[in-house]
Amino acid sequence: MLTIRLRRTGGTNAPAYRIVVSDSRRTPTAKVIEELGYYDPTKNPPLLNVDVEKAKGWIAKGASASATVQKLLVPPKA
């Protein structure tokens, strides 16, 4: 089963994440199928760059998004 999840990058005390599509049965650091964007929560405001159309396409094909990625894909309410 495919999962859209965060893959941690960055150094100690400086987390940054890539939003990737990967096999849910493998570790988060395993080979990825496709990279959809990135998320950097340490910046003010946090940087978020995601190809939402590709993410929706993967979800339509049967991939499931992690809880955190689901929150990031929903646009904030004004």
Side-chain angles (χ1 to χ4, degrees):
M1 174 168 223
L2 297 177
T3 304
I4 302 172
R5 60 182 169 191
L6 297 177
R7 180 178 193 174
R8 185 182 164 129
T9 59
T12 306
N13 297 324
Y17 302 93
R18 291 183 183 169
I19 301 169
V20 298
V21 178
S22 64
D23 190 345
S24 64
R25 296 170 291 185
R26 300 194 180 266
T27 62
T29 57
K31 187 176 178 181
V32 300
I33 297 171
E34 185 173 7
E35 186 175 322
L36 302 177
Y38 60 85
Y39 173 57
D40 189 353
T42 60
K43 305 291 184 195
N44 190 8
L47 291 176
L48 176 63
N49 183 11
V50 182
D51 190 342
V52 178
E53 294 304 316
K54 281 187 180 180
K56 287 181 180 178
W58 278 106
I59 292 170
K61 292 177 187 176
S64 62
S66 69
T68 306
V69 172
Q70 284 179 349
K71 290 179 187 177
L72 293 175
L73 291 177
V74 174
K77 294 182 181 179

